[in-house]
Amino acid sequence: MHVGAAQTAKLGLIAGNGRFPFLLLDAARAEGLGVVVVAIKEETDPEMDARAAADPGVRVYWMSLGELSRLIKTFKAEGVTRAVMAGQVKHTQIFSSIRPDWRLAKLLLNLRTRNTDVLLGAVAKVLADEGIDLISSVQYLEPLLASPGVLTRRAPTGDELKDIAYGRTVALGLAAYDLGQTVVIAAQACVAVEAMEGTDATIERAGALFRALVGSASTLSRALTVVKVAKPGQDMRFDVPVIGVATIQSMARAGATCLAVEAGRTLLFDAAAIVAAADQAGIALVAE
C-alpha cells in the first residue's frame, strides 16, 4: 500500500472486551491506518478513550449492544468501508443487556438459532449490504497465531497426550454445533464442556468439580487437560480462539496441567508471558 493511501485509509473496529481490540488497534495504526472504534459500553475497556486522546488517528464512539443502525450510520459518516470485530462479547449479554434497535430486532426475529456464527454472520451480511466489508480479525495479527509444537519447557506426558487426542474429538464435535470451543479432560473422560460461560469459567468449573470429590481415591486422574479448538470451517472474522495469561492462571487454580490449542488458528496474546506463566505453573502447552 502506498504511504499516502495508508495515511488516509480508515478501518472500523468493533471492540469487545479484553486486550484483543487494543492489539488490533496497535497493529492497524502501525500500518498507517486511521481507526474508527465502535466501543461497546457493556464490554469495552474504558482505556480506549485514553488511547484515542493520545492518538489523533483514532476516534471512538461508545454504543450499547443492539445499536446496529447507529453503528452503520457512524461508519458511513466516517467513510469506513472495511471493519473488523475484535474482543469477546459475552454470550450472556445477548440475553440480558441487549436492547435491539429496529434493524437488529428484525435480524434477530429472522434467525433460526442465536449461536455465534448465525448471529454474527447475519450482522456481517447487513454490514456488507451497506457497503461495509467485515474482514478477518487476524489479518493484522498473524504473528500472534500459535506456531506448531511444544511451546513450554515441559512436553505433555503420555497420559496427557491421550487426553489431548480424546479431547480434540470431543471439542471438534462441540465446536461443530457452535456451542463452545473448549473441553476439559481427565483420564480420557470429559469433565467439562464450554457453553455460554467462556473458556476460563469452564476450566474453573472443572476444577471446582474435582475439588468436590470426596476422599483421595478416584477412578479419574486429578490432572486436568484443557483442549481448545477452532470450529470446523472457522470463520476468521469472528470468535477466533484466543488464549491469554488469564487462561493459564485459571488452569493453575483448577489444577490443570496441560493445554492444547490449534496451531495457526489460535491467537496467543503475549505469547512470552503465557509461556512464562505456564512454565512457572508446570503446565505443558502444545499447538498442533
Side-chain angles (χ1 to χ4, degrees):
M1 182 180 290
H2 296 298
V3 174
Q7 288 175 338
T8 57
K10 289 183 180 180
L11 178 70
L13 170 57
I14 304 170
N17 63 41
R19 305 313 299 168
F20 193 175
F22 295 95
L23 291 170
L24 201 144
L25 173 61
D26 290 341
R29 292 297 293 135
E31 292 281 332
L33 296 169
V35 181
V36 179
V37 181
V38 168
I40 299 172
K41 291 179 182 178
E42 296 86 355
E43 296 285 358
T44 312
D45 193 313
E47 180 190 337
M48 192 62 74
D49 278 336
R51 297 293 287 274
D55 185 347
V58 179
R59 301 192 67 177
V60 177
Y61 297 86
W62 288 90
M63 301 180 195
S64 289
L65 278 170
E67 294 188 277
L68 182 56
S69 295
R70 187 177 167 208
L71 181 150
I72 292 169
K73 182 178 179 180
T74 298
F75 279 164
K76 283 189 167 185
E78 287 281 359
V80 169
T81 58
R82 295 165 69 249
V84 61
M85 291 182 177
Q88 182 193 44
V89 174
K90 299 183 190 71
H91 291 197
T92 51
Q93 293 279 21
I94 297 172
F95 297 95
S96 58
S97 299
I98 192 168
R99 295 180 180 176
D101 62 13
W102 68 270
R103 190 187 295 262
L104 186 58
K106 180 180 177 182
L107 182 152
L108 291 172
L109 188 64
N110 291 322
L111 293 182
R112 65 183 186 277
T113 61
R114 293 191 183 184
N115 58 26
T116 304
D117 277 355
V118 171
L119 176 58
L120 295 182
V123 170
K125 184 180 185 305
V126 170
L127 293 176
D129 290 344
E130 295 289 344
I132 302 164
D133 183 26
L134 194 64
I135 65 174
S136 168
S137 60
V138 302
Q139 181 163 327
Y140 298 100
L141 297 175
E142 289 187 1
L144 301 184
L145 290 171
S147 300
V150 176
L151 306 182
T152 46
R153 287 197 297 263
R154 184 175 78 78
T157 65
D159 286 339
E160 288 168 342
L161 288 173
K162 292 177 184 177
D163 283 347
I164 291 171
Y166 173 65
R168 286 192 187 282
T169 301
V170 176
L172 286 170
L174 180 72
Y177 287 98
D178 195 19
L179 299 176
Q181 300 168 317
T182 303
V183 298
V184 184
I185 306 296
Q188 295 91 66
C190 189
V191 179
V193 299
E194 179 186 8
M196 283 192 178
E197 73 273 39
T199 299
D200 294 351
T202 302
I203 294 167
E204 292 178 3
R205 178 159 50 84
L209 176 63
F210 264 33
R211 286 193 298 273
L213 294 177
V214 178
S216 59
S218 173
T219 58
L220 290 180
S221 162
R222 296 302 178 95
L224 299 170
T225 291
V226 178
V227 180
K228 190 174 183 71
V229 301
K231 300 167 191 171
Q234 174 75 47
D235 190 328
M236 299 302 280
R237 294 177 299 174
F238 36 75
D239 208 26
V240 177
V242 171
I243 294 296
V245 172
T247 306
I248 303 300
Q249 293 169 339
S250 294
M251 289 181 62
R253 288 192 295 270
T257 61
C258 182
L259 171 61
V261 300
E262 281 202 69
R265 300 214 292 173
T266 305
L267 286 167
L268 302 183
F269 290 165
D270 197 348
I274 291 169
V275 171
D279 282 336
Q280 184 176 9
I283 292 170
L285 171 56
V286 61
E288 298 178 350

